[in-house]
Amino acid sequence: MITETSPRDRIVRAAAALLAEGGREAVSTRAVSRAAGVQAPTIYRQFGDMRGLLDAAASYGFAAYLHAEASRDLAGDPVDDLRRGWELHVGFGLANPACHALMYGDPRPGETPTAARVAADILRQLVHRVAEAGRLRVGVDEATEMLHAAACGVTLALNRTPPPQRDPALSTRTREAVLAALVTDSPAARATSRAGNPVRHAVALRAALDGLTTDLSPAERALLAEWLDRIVRTTPTP
């Protein structure tokens, strides 16, 4: 049975294809109308304005990346999963510069495309696994923000540099520098830092707190969470 796609779907797919082929400038009302087989007013009824359409097109283009990120098997080492997530992000951005720039290089305060929110949730889950393993030196939120900012910055910087002039090792060096600041990256490092880095234990307990089955009352659980957060915020890490 063949089902006809809705006007909205046709518009989004047409805009995403134009964005991938010709960049943001190629996504004009006339071009999208022609490619989708709709009248211009239909576009504005569906998306409000061109920025709404561009955000939808970027999210559509981001869907394949999100699917790969969500469906891939997790590695035995949660830090290696963070490395793979970083590489997926940077690889997507280099292969789809216009889409990545819309998602991360042209923000609107208080408004985040749906796909970007989903990607941020996936990253936070990966960081949370590192925390549960007792290998995170800082809080989950702080680590997530640092990794996200660094990966976006590297991708935008590489995309602004002509390919022949790009440093092929920039992404790896930046990734490893950030990870060195955030995680204990080997069993040996964990062994040597066990006594001198209480923060990672507080982070691990805080990450596991919501899933623990205990006799703590809600007030006691909230108080413990507050104490752990304070330890993470105020204790210097080696």
Side-chain angles (χ1 to χ4, degrees):
M1 178 178 178
I2 298 176
T3 58
E4 184 179 353
T5 58
S6 68
R8 182 182 180 88
D9 288 341
R10 296 202 308 273
I11 292 168
V12 170
R13 291 179 185 179
L18 290 166
L19 181 65
E21 294 169 5
R24 183 170 181 168
E25 295 74 15
V27 188
S28 66
T29 302
R30 177 177 297 180
V32 174
S33 298
R34 184 186 307 115
V38 300
Q39 298 296 318
T42 304
I43 296 175
Y44 294 102
R45 282 198 301 271
Q46 293 286 343
F47 301 97
D49 55 22
M50 284 304 294
R51 181 55 193 255
L53 173 58
L54 285 167
D55 285 347
S59 291
Y60 180 85
F62 211 42
Y65 159 76
L66 291 177
H67 178 73
E69 189 70 338
S71 63
R72 64 192 174 91
D73 293 332
L74 296 175
D77 186 339
V79 178
D80 284 342
D81 280 321
L82 279 180
R83 290 187 172 96
R84 291 169 60 189
W86 176 291
E87 292 304 317
L88 277 173
H89 180 104
V90 175
F92 169 85
L94 295 181
N96 304 272
C99 182
H100 187 273
L102 276 170
M103 300 288 290
Y104 298 112
D106 186 17
R108 290 186 292 178
E111 297 184 31
T112 304
T114 300
R117 292 196 297 271
V118 174
D121 288 342
I122 292 173
L123 174 59
R124 194 180 192 282
Q125 291 168 14
L126 294 176
V127 173
H128 196 271
R129 288 187 66 235
V130 178
E132 288 181 320
R135 299 182 62 184
L136 200 61
R137 298 178 186 272
V138 302
V140 170
D141 290 340
E142 182 180 353
T144 302
E145 290 174 2
M146 289 177 66
L147 281 162
H148 179 262
C152 288
V154 164
T155 308
L156 291 169
L158 288 172
N159 275 330
R160 291 184 181 120
T161 305
Q165 300 175 22
R166 290 176 185 170
D167 179 356
L170 176 64
S171 176
T172 300
R173 288 202 311 269
T174 304
R175 182 195 68 202
E176 293 306 310
V178 174
L179 288 177
L182 297 179
V183 305
T184 56
D185 201 24
S186 68
R190 295 200 301 276
T192 57
S193 65
R194 184 164 294 148
N197 184 15
V199 171
R200 69 184 186 85
H201 297 294
V203 171
L205 180 55
R206 181 65 180 89
L209 183 59
D210 291 339
L212 289 179
T213 302
T214 68
D215 292 331
L216 293 175
S217 69
E220 290 169 333
R221 187 182 292 267
L223 182 59
L224 177 56
E226 180 182 348
W227 287 342
L228 292 170
D229 288 339
R230 190 179 303 171
I231 291 172
V232 172
R233 288 196 307 269
T234 60
T235 304
T237 57

